[in-house]
Structures are given as structure tokens and as C-alpha cells.
Amino acid sequence: PCPAPPVPAGARRQVTARQLRERGNALFQAGDHGAALAAYTQALSLCDAGPERAVLHRNRAACHLKLEDYAEAEADASKAIEADGRDVKALFRRSQALQKLGRLDQAVSDLQRCVSLEPKNKAFQEALRDLGSSMHEKMKTMSCTDSKVEQMFRILLDPEEKDADKKQKAAQNLIVLAREEAGAEKIFQSDGVRLLTQLLDTAKADLMLAALRTLVGLCSGHRSRTTAILMELGAPRLSAVLGVEHEQVSLAACNLLHVMFDSLKEGLQKDFRGKEDAVVLDSSKDLKLLIKHLLELLALEGASAHGRDNALNLLIKVVPRKSPKESNNSLSLWVIDQGLKKILEVGSAVCGTPGSLPVTENSRMSASVLLSKLYDDLKCDAERENFHHLCEDYVRSWFEGHELAGKLRAIQAVSCLLQGPSEAGNRALELEGIMDSVLSLCASVREAHQLLAVEALIHAADKAKRASFITANGVSLLKDIYKHSERDSIRIRALVGLCKLGSAGGTDFSMKQFAEGSTMKLAKQCRKWLCNEGIDAGTRRWAVEGLAYLTFDADVKEEFVEDKAAMQAMFQLSKSEDRSVLYAVASTLVNCTNSYDHEEPDPQMLELAKYAKQHIPEQHPKDKPDFVKRRVRKLLAAGVVSALACMVKSENPALTSSCRELISRVFLALVEEADDRGRVVAQGGGKALIPLSLEGTEVGQTKAAQALAKITITSNPEMAFPGERIYEVVRPLVSLLHLQRSGLENFEGLMALTNLAGISERLRQKILKEKAVPMIEGYMFEEHELIRLAATECMCNMALSKEVQELFLAEGSDRLKLMVLYSGEEDEKLRRAASGTLAMLTALHPPICKRIPQVTVHWLEILQALLLSPSAELQHRGAVVVMNMVAAAQELAEQLMASEMLEILSVLAKDKDKP
């Protein structure tokens, strides 16, 4: 950024803009590019003068380049050039941005202009040379690609071509080519979309897969191409391909549609700005068109069951807002109005009844998750009321005026709602006749009807609103079914209902719902069913549901972890096709590891509660830390980590944010003991924790980040997170430094980052890019001595970076002063970290040596105290600092030698015990 020109007296608004620009310049020099950008932007809002605005735009372009926002960098540089066409800095910055955006011809044009304006500038000449050679390579590749594209399509579309290997190779080449921007553009320009449409229309699975995977490359991150492809293919064709019977083809179509949604929403990274504005005006129509066809597919009888699942998964991913901070929920409102009843068609499907839609074991769970996400996306009571009315109308439409089949559909719809947006489920359950029908169907002689009714009763028992009603009416009924039914599938569900009603006291030992021993009997029966492979997986899942409730009891936990066969059966079930078991498995593990939140009650409040004869929760003796530690070891020995890692890999709606949070809690409990961390990493725990720390609830992300920190602190990070994975760990660790995190989380985050910062410059750059340095500095002022020490040690390793060294010389900064003062503190560990930082800074960045005497008058006595310390480590650090200062400047050397320093050094030089 350029220095500000002199400002005329009396130009008050200009002075403010100028001050802001100077602040931006200082921030830019200090490496805080985001804050610098904000300062320049604010200055622009106060500035009217053309030349001044041009400089600010040019400076903003520099910030955008550093922040890797190349489209914005080009826009700002262009505004500066509009004001002054001879502005070489703006021209050079625009050429850098254009190069990154892939517009090499325009980048060359700008660089040529720079060279003509400043012919002797070597930097411009070199940049032009480099760009020329990369353009030459690109042209060579393009001309070679032209003939390749035609040849590949000819092989794939030739009905006479019988060589299968040749066709497969052509298809693979086409897919690989489409992944590169130049190749994707070449396929697109060579009439590729029409030819890919022909491949889709052949109805041959291998050709359809090749076409879909190539289209993914064409659409990825490119909005205008995606719009053109959507117009050519048409939403009905894409929807039809999604609904085909061939599972792989349906999944590939699902992947393509997901990429198209992403590109239509935000895919501007690779596009040409001019082309964007010309071709794409508004993608909301395209989005709604695709969503409309997905909703129609849900209720389409001819669509395959997995096609329906894929459509639900897509809607879950693309419709609700990613964050409550986004204000616009219009897409969710539109989907509720247009498609709520279509979603409920899937949720209310009753297998084996005439006219019922084909569904998988995951379909109803996916419908529940989608309904829940849509309901959570609503912002006001009026929107929620509309949702309730639509649900109630749907349930009534099946319940009233239909025979038994209609009533079954209505009850299944209520079950689906209770598993998703439970408020809507409760409202539907209160509709006249629904609950009576559920209770009467529980006694049905037909297994399918009885199953459906018992499941509805179980889901209803989950919700506090109905629990008292069901405790009064349902417990005796469920006990009766459990004791007298001859079918295991019914008995197991009745048992789960009893478990749910019996676990209302949670972990409170004094609140037992059942008679002594009943809980243990139920748990034993659950474990028996769980291990019985003769029973189908869908029924055994209910045994895990039962354990999820029964393991609130510590006696049940202890027996469960002793039963290795039951644990392994549960882990095996978590890897099965039926993903709806995930939440129950995760809940059971949270209970066994005691990783739920539990606050220690205030002793004074306990006394008051006793005095007032209030109920006081009691902890079970077997929930004490030693028991928990033993249970964790047994779970690890049974293979819990690989089961959790497999659960995290699942791309299924059943892996909800709350389910991810439960898994994160379990992982944190598993790495609590340093001795267990190696085993967790060896079984894939480190890899599984990274996605958990980046997505899900805030609590879940924090727990996963804390588990990553514990692993990074005690393991070799390069072995725990091999290859590129180590760089993915940085962001979660930095998130532990935020102010709303606890002191322990801050401390562990700092310790882990210290380890990473000591490994390589690339990792230090990643930490800098995540804006961790200002937070690390903040914790150097922390009152808690361990956090202050961890922050200082982290800064010591970060000081190996050139950018961090520069920060210690920034005008108006107290960073260097703090390090010098900390080198004289009483806490020896803090002195060691601070003096180590000074030793490195003075060695790596000699200008810092001259600044040390300027930051505090006590500098000399602090250095002398280091050299006179009984600790050899502190003496060594002090000696290195003095040596660097003597080497840096003659006046410093004279100043040091004029003091008692020469005498101290002479004594230390003779000490043979400290080589």
C-alpha cells in the first residue's frame, strides 16, 4: 500500500479518511490483511476525491490478493485503473488476480502495459516471461485436447465398437479431462453437453455413469455452465435418472445434482465475471425447478426406493439454511408449501400394503430428518402454525373416511413426525381417535399392524407431553404384550417402550421407575436379542434402542461392557445398511463412558434442598471415575474406535448434528487418558475426528476439537495425522482459542498449536492464515499462569516465521516489551519460554536487537539476571541474546560491555561444568 499524499488544511472529512488509510497501511504491514481491508473500506465511505478513492481501491486489491479473493481483487484494481490508466501498481495487481482466475490472455495484456510504462522494472519483465511460458503450455494442451475429445465421444457413441476396454478407457479419460478447468471448457465448447445427453439416453449403466461423472466436472464451481447444462438436459431428465433402479447410476445422478445445486448457489470461483453477468441473472428459478422435480420424484410410484432416498438426502443438504445467521428461509417455506405432503407420503409408507411406495429401511428416517430440518428452519409462530396445519390435514385425510389401511397410513405419518419435528407429532397425536387407534391396534392379531402401533407408542413415549398419558395407559399394555406375545419382533419393541418409560429418572440413582432387578432383566433380554443373528437386523436395532435407555443405570453399563459379544454385535450393527441405528448406538456409548454433561451441585444449594425436603439427584457408586475408566478400556479392547470411525463415514441423514455430537463426546472420553490415545489413533480415530470438528453442533465441534488437541499434545502429530491431514487439524485447534471456550479448552488448544508450530513453516503459515496469532497474543496477558505460559511457548515456536518476527517491530506494539519483561518474571517456565523467544528473534531478525533497549529501562538487569540464574537453560538463552545483540550493532556492544556484562560473561566462559 502507498503512503498518503499531503492533505489540505481544513479538509476534515479527508483527514478522517487519511487516518483510516494510514491505519490500514500499518495493519497491512503487520500482516492483518482482513483488518486492513476493513480500514480501507471505511475510508472509502468517507472519501469523495477521485485520486484518493483510486489509491484506496488499489490498496483493497492488495488485501484481496493476500486473502485469496481474486474476483474482488480484480474488481478493485479495475476501479483504480478507471481513475488512472497509467497506475502500474493497480495494473500489476489486476494481472495477478486475472492469472489466478485463469484469464491468462487478459493478465498478459495488463503485464505488457506495466512493462511499457516501466521498461526497466525487472519484476514486471520476469512475471511476463513466466506467464508467457505457462500460456504456451496451455495452448499446446488445448490443441492436443481438441482431437482427444472428439475421439473419446466417437468411441463411446459408436454402436459398432465392441472393445469394452477401449470404451472404458475413453470414459475414464473423459471424466479425468472434465476435472481440469481447461478440459471442462473444451468439452463444453465442443458440443459436449449434447453428446453427453446421448450417452445418458442409451440407458446403458456404464455409459450413463461416464456421462454423469463427466457432467460433475463441467458443473463443479461454474454457475454459467451449470445453467446452460440444466437448460440442455432438462430437470425432468435428471430427475428420471435419479429414480432409476440401478443403484450406482442413481447415486451418480445424486452427486451431479448436489454439485449443480452448489454451483447455482455460490459457484463463482472459476467463472468469467463478464460472462457471469451476461448469462446468469437469477439462479433461484433453476434451483426451484430442480427442487420441484425432486419433490415430485418422492411421490412417484415408478421411482426406485434408493432413488427416493437419494432425493431426500439431496433435499436435506440443499434446502434448509446452513446457519441461522442467514436471514432468508424462503426456500424452506416454498418446499413446505409445495412438497410437505409429498415428504409425508414417504414417511407414512406402510410396507406390504397395496399402492404403497417402494421404500428402504432408511427412507422413513430420512423423511423424519428432512421434516425436522424444515421445521427448525422456520422463524416465527405463523410459519410453524402453517406447518402444523399441513401435517394435521394430511393425517386427517388418511384417518377419516378410509378403511383400516388409511388409519395405518395416518398412524405411520404420526410416527414419522414424532421422530422428526416432535411438536408437530404431538399435535397430530392429539387429533381425535389417533391415540385410541394406536392402543387398540397394539392388540391386533396381525403382526404388521401390531408392529406399526407398538412403534408409534414407543415414539410417543419419548415425548414428555404424552409420557404421563402413556404411563397411565400404555405401561400395562406394553407389559402384557412383552409377556404374552409369541413374536420376538413384537416383544422386542414392547420392551423398548418399557425401557423408555422406565428411564425417565435418567442417571439419577434415586429415581427408579421399575422394581429392583427389573432393569437388569430387561437389559439382559436386550443383549440376548442383540447377539441373536437369527433375528433380522431391523428387529435387533430395537434391542440397541432399549439399551440406549437402560444404560442410564450404572449396573447395566457394567454388565454390558463385560459382555464382549454384545458390544461387538452392536458395533457390527452400526456398520449395517440400516443407518437408523446410529443414534441409539451413540447414545449407549455416551452413557457407558459418562460423557454427557454433568455439573457438580453447589454444596450450599444441596443443604438448602435437604432443608426444604426437595429431591436431590444421587450418583450411582459405579459411575465414579475409576469405574468409567475401566469401562472405556473395555470398549477400546472391543473395537469401539473402528465402529465410530465407520459411523462418521456414513453419508446418511441418520448421522444428524446431534448424533455427531454424541460421537464427539464418546471420542473425547476415549482420549481422556494419555495412554489410550495411541490406540485411538491407530484404529482411525484421528481421521474420524477431523470432520466431526468441522461440522455439526457447536458443542460437538468443540468436543471433537478438544479430542484432537489431546492427541496432538501427547503424540507425534506427523504420525497421528499423516500427509495433508495434519493441515486440516489447524482450524479445529484454533477454534479452541475463541473467548467463549473454557480455560481448559484454551490451554489445550495452545499446547497443541505449540506442537504444530514447531514442525514446519507451512504449518506456521496455516496457523497464521487461520488468524490465530492475535488470539495467542491475547492469552499472553491471561491471569491464569498455565494459559499464559502455553501462549508464550506457542508464540516462541510461531516466531520462527518471518511474518511473526515483523510483528515484533510494528510501531505502537508492546509485543517485544512483554517478551523482555516476561524474561525477568519469577515463574521459571515462563522465563524459559520468553527468553527462548528472544534468543530466536534476535538470531533470526537482527533489527530486533536494536529495539530491545528502547522497550524497557530494565532490559540490562533482565539479561544479567538470566546469565546469573542457577538454571543452565536460562543462562544459555541469556548468553545467546547477548551474543546476537553484540553482533548486531557496535553501539549495543559498547553499551553491554560498559556494564557488568563483560565480567559475568568472563566468569561463565570459565565454567567447565556448562559447556
Side-chain angles (χ1 to χ4, degrees):
C2 315
V7 175
R12 205 161 155 212
R13 286 179 72 210
Q14 290 287 24
V15 172
T16 314
R18 184 186 184 204
Q19 286 170 340
L20 283 164
R21 187 170 77 176
E22 284 174 349
R23 188 191 303 165
N25 291 353
L27 288 163
F28 189 93
Q29 294 297 341
D32 194 345
H33 305 117
L37 177 63
Y40 295 139
T41 306
Q42 201 180 341
L44 261 176
S45 68
L46 298 172
C47 177
D48 299 327
E52 177 78 2
R53 288 181 70 80
V55 172
L56 287 165
H57 278 300
R58 182 170 73 202
N59 289 359
R60 282 196 350 155
C63 294
H64 286 307
L65 284 170
K66 289 285 186 187
L67 296 166
E68 298 181 11
D69 191 349
Y70 302 116
E72 288 299 327
E74 187 236 336
D76 266 316
S78 295
K79 283 174 186 166
I81 294 161
E82 279 170 28
D84 178 8
R86 299 174 66 81
D87 186 340
V88 284
K89 285 189 179 179
L91 282 161
F92 186 61
R93 280 168 200 164
R94 187 168 73 174
S95 78
Q96 288 175 297
L98 289 165
Q99 202 171 338
K100 293 289 185 184
L101 291 166
R103 293 147 67 181
L104 302 188
D105 49 345
Q106 288 167 280
V108 165
S109 171
D110 278 353
L111 269 177
Q112 285 170 337
R113 179 91 176 117
C114 289
V115 172
S116 69
L117 289 167
E118 288 188 15
K120 291 181 181 174
N121 189 318
K122 287 186 177 170
F124 293 163
Q125 291 168 1
E126 204 170 311
L128 189 59
R129 246 196 322 276
D130 291 347
L131 193 53
S133 60
S134 62
M135 275 197 75
H136 179 68
E137 282 300 310
K138 189 178 174 183
M139 294 303 290
K140 216 161 99 179
T141 312
M142 291 290 267
S143 58
C144 183
T145 307
D146 277 5
S147 53
K148 275 187 187 171
V149 171
E150 288 169 26
Q151 191 184 357
M152 285 183 268
F153 276 120
R154 203 165 39 246
I155 293 166
L156 290 168
L157 288 166
D158 184 3
E160 304 299 315
E161 182 60 72
K162 298 290 184 253
D163 188 338
D165 286 345
K166 198 173 175 183
K167 279 200 166 188
Q168 192 180 354
K169 197 173 177 185
Q172 196 53 46
N173 287 343
L174 202 59
I175 295 162
V176 171
L177 188 64
R179 285 180 193 151
E180 292 293 322
E181 173 55 26
E185 190 59 27
K186 182 44 61 185
I187 294 171
F188 183 71
Q189 298 293 352
S190 309
D191 200 20
V193 182
R194 185 182 62 80
L195 297 167
L196 289 166
T197 309
Q198 286 181 27
L199 288 178
L200 279 178
D201 292 344
T202 59
K204 292 178 181 172
D206 53 342
L207 296 181
M208 290 175 84
L209 283 168
L212 291 164
R213 288 167 184 165
T214 306
L215 285 164
V216 165
L218 264 60
C219 294
S220 196
H222 205 302
R223 194 163 63 150
S224 50
R225 262 206 309 258
T226 303
T227 309
I229 287 166
L230 184 57
M231 282 174 69
E232 177 88 27
L233 287 175
R237 181 188 267 113
L238 287 167
S239 172
V241 175
L242 184 68
V244 297
E245 283 296 339
H246 195 286
E247 213 162 321
Q248 270 189 302
V249 172
S250 176
L251 200 60
C254 178
N255 187 29
L256 170 61
L257 284 162
H258 195 191
V259 167
M260 290 178 100
F261 275 116
D262 282 350
S263 299
L264 290 170
K265 276 186 167 181
E266 68 242 1
L268 280 159
Q269 310 96 297
K270 298 178 186 172
D271 286 358
F272 290 15
R273 180 168 286 270
K275 187 167 157 188
E276 275 302 317
D277 295 340
V279 179
V280 181
L281 297 169
D282 176 19
S283 33
S284 62
K285 285 181 184 173
D286 294 324
L287 281 169
K288 283 184 177 176
L289 181 68
L290 280 175
I291 290 170
K292 177 173 169 279
H293 282 281
L294 287 180
L295 291 168
E296 283 173 5
L297 178 75
L298 294 181
L300 195 70
E301 283 184 26
S304 65
H306 46 257
R308 200 167 271 106
D309 278 5
N310 287 333
L312 285 166
N313 292 358
L314 262 174
L315 290 165
I316 289 166
K317 286 173 186 169
V318 302
V319 176
R321 291 172 294 166
K322 292 278 185 287
S323 149
K325 290 174 188 168
E326 294 174 33
S327 58
N328 186 1
N329 69 341
S330 59
L331 201 54
S332 288
L333 295 175
W334 184 81
V335 168
I336 289 166
D337 285 338
Q338 299 292 316
L340 186 70
K341 292 185 176 178
K342 294 184 175 78
I343 300 164
L344 283 168
E345 284 289 304
V346 182
S348 66
V350 178
C351 296
T353 56
S356 182
L357 294 170
V359 289
T360 69
E361 59 267 31
N362 292 313
S363 302
R364 277 197 298 276
M365 173 57 91
S366 298
S368 290
V369 172
L370 176 55
L371 290 166
S372 182
K373 283 189 174 283
L374 290 171
Y375 188 76
D376 290 344
D377 210 28
L378 302 177
K379 294 195 289 189
C380 65
D381 289 346
E383 291 174 0
R384 282 184 273 274
E385 204 52 43
N386 176 51
F387 188 97
H388 290 310
H389 283 315
L390 289 168
C391 292
E392 287 163 25
D393 288 349
Y394 181 83
V395 172
R396 272 199 214 93
S397 71
W398 279 108
F399 194 74
E400 294 165 7
H402 283 84
E403 294 302 311
L404 179 62
K407 288 185 169 42
L408 290 170
R409 284 291 294 268
I411 293 169
Q412 190 77 297
V414 173
S415 263
C416 174
L417 288 166
L418 284 165
Q419 282 180 281
S422 55
E423 273 185 55
N426 277 324
R427 290 257 305 242
L429 202 58
E430 285 163 10
L431 293 173
E432 195 181 337
I434 297 281
M435 199 67 211
D436 294 336
S437 294
V438 170
L439 294 172
S440 63
L441 278 167
C442 281
S444 170
V445 289
R446 291 190 60 181
E447 183 180 4
H449 299 174
Q450 197 180 7
L451 270 180
L452 191 143
V454 172
E455 281 187 23
L457 196 60
I458 293 166
H459 296 313
D462 233 1
K463 317 301 165 198
K465 214 174 185 185
R466 305 297 304 176
S468 55
F469 175 86
I470 289 158
T471 307
N473 297 273
V475 172
S476 54
L477 176 66
L478 288 169
K479 277 184 179 174
D480 203 46
I481 294 170
Y482 177 62
K483 283 176 184 168
H484 301 119
S485 176
E486 291 173 12
R487 305 182 187 110
D488 274 350
S489 59
I490 301 288
R491 289 186 68 218
I492 203 165
R493 285 162 171 81
L495 180 144
V496 172
L498 290 169
C499 294
K500 282 189 177 187
L501 294 169
S503 65
T507 55
D508 183 355
F509 178 46
S510 60
M511 290 269 290
K512 289 291 158 214
Q513 297 287 311
F514 294 149
E516 194 66 44
S518 303
T519 308
M520 299 298 286
K521 280 181 191 167
L522 290 174
K524 191 175 179 183
Q525 185 59 58
C526 277
R527 296 202 314 273
K528 189 178 165 187
W529 273 324
L530 181 58
C531 296
N532 184 352
E533 290 185 8
I535 302 173
D536 68 284
T539 302
R540 284 163 65 216
R541 166 175 80 81
W542 286 95
V544 186
E545 291 272 357
L547 286 169
Y549 287 90
L550 292 169
T551 46
F552 280 126
D553 186 311
D555 289 315
V556 174
K557 301 177 200 186
E558 286 295 315
E559 280 208 356
F560 179 65
V561 297
E562 291 299 333
D563 188 343
K564 196 168 182 181
M567 285 193 287
Q568 289 181 332
M570 182 175 84
F571 298 156
Q572 209 50 49
L573 209 55
S574 72
K575 298 173 186 176
S576 70
E577 283 297 306
D578 183 358
R579 309 305 280 178
S580 52
V581 76
L582 295 184
Y583 194 86
V585 172
S587 300
T588 306
L589 292 171
V590 164
N591 292 340
C592 288
T593 55
N594 282 35
S595 46
Y596 37 72
D597 291 327
H598 40 85
E599 288 180 24
E600 289 299 318
D602 183 336
Q604 285 182 315
M605 294 306 287
L606 278 181
E607 289 305 314
L608 279 172
K610 283 177 188 171
Y611 180 73
K613 295 184 179 172
Q614 293 275 327
H615 169 72
I616 300 163
E618 290 176 32
Q619 189 189 38
H620 195 294
K622 289 180 183 174
D623 271 335
K624 291 198 162 72
D626 284 349
F627 282 94
V628 176
K629 211 179 287 183
R630 275 201 296 276
R631 290 203 291 266
V632 164
R633 293 267 157 89
K634 282 177 178 159
L635 285 166
L636 283 167
V640 66
V641 178
S642 57
L644 289 171
C646 196
M647 285 161 75
V648 174
K649 278 184 202 164
S650 164
E651 270 293 313
N652 193 283
L655 190 69
T656 56
S657 295
S658 46
C659 186
R660 295 172 82 92
E661 182 185 313
L662 294 179
I663 296 170
S664 298
R665 285 176 182 277
V666 177
F667 265 125
L668 185 55
L670 296 176
V671 297
E672 190 57 46
E673 295 297 312
D675 294 347
D676 297 332
R677 291 170 196 168
R679 185 190 277 185
V680 171
V681 169
Q683 292 177 10
K687 185 180 178 182
L689 277 164
I690 294 170
L692 287 172
S693 67
L694 297 170
E695 198 180 326
T697 66
E698 193 172 346
V699 173
Q701 287 183 50
T702 306
K703 301 275 181 199
Q706 200 181 351
L708 284 171
K710 286 179 188 289
I711 291 168
T712 310
I713 291 165
T714 55
S715 319
N716 175 352
E718 290 175 289
M719 290 179 74
F721 310 105
E724 291 297 303
R725 204 174 296 153
I726 196 167
Y727 302 100
E728 294 174 47
V729 177
V730 174
R731 183 172 295 171
L733 295 181
V734 172
S735 75
L736 293 175
L737 305 189
H738 294 151
L739 289 173
Q740 66 267 39
R741 303 284 175 260
S742 70
L744 178 63
E745 287 160 359
N746 298 156
F747 174 68
E748 289 182 331
L750 288 163
M751 294 265 286
L753 287 168
T754 303
N755 264 5
L756 292 184
I759 292 172
S760 71
E761 179 57 24
R762 190 176 160 202
L763 271 167
R764 288 189 286 278
Q765 286 299 324
K766 178 73 177 161
I767 294 168
L768 274 164
K769 196 173 176 185
E770 293 295 338
K771 299 185 172 53
V773 171
M775 290 188 273
I776 297 166
E777 283 177 353
Y779 288 113
M780 286 172 69
F781 292 93
E782 179 67 44
E783 280 181 34
H784 196 293
E785 57 191 36
L786 284 175
I787 295 179
R788 187 171 64 223
L789 171 65
T792 310
E793 287 177 339
C794 191
M795 186 55 78
C796 180
N797 282 354
M798 286 302 293
L800 289 162
S801 252
K802 189 84 177 155
E803 285 96 323
V804 178
Q805 294 158 23
E806 293 289 349
L807 294 178
F808 282 87
L809 285 175
E811 283 299 326
S813 156
D814 285 336
R815 295 180 181 97
L816 189 57
K817 181 179 181 177
L818 190 67
M819 280 299 175
V820 176
L821 293 175
Y822 276 0
S823 300
E825 282 281 309
E826 285 179 21
D827 178 348
E828 191 180 316
K829 286 182 177 175
L830 183 62
R831 286 179 81 190
R832 203 184 305 158
S835 55
T837 310
L838 281 182
M840 284 204 308
L841 286 170
T842 51
L844 298 167
H845 205 54
I848 284 173
C849 296
K850 293 183 185 177
R851 284 291 288 278
I852 289 175
Q854 298 166 21
V855 294
T856 172
V857 291
H858 304 293
W859 70 279
L860 198 53
E861 60 192 83
I862 288 169
L863 288 179
Q864 288 175 355
L866 284 172
L867 289 165
L868 294 168
S869 161
S871 157
E873 283 191 54
L874 289 177
Q875 287 181 310
H876 182 219
R877 285 161 167 73
V880 171
V881 175
V882 174
M883 181 177 74
N884 293 335
M885 289 178 75
V886 168
Q890 187 175 345
E891 64 270 24
L892 278 178
E894 286 171 358
Q895 220 173 335
L896 286 160
M897 293 307 127
S899 69
E900 293 164 8
M901 192 62 80
L902 181 57
E903 197 180 327
I904 297 167
L905 290 169
S906 304
V907 173
L908 288 175
K910 292 169 188 164
D911 192 341
K912 291 192 167 62
D913 294 337
K914 297 174 181 172

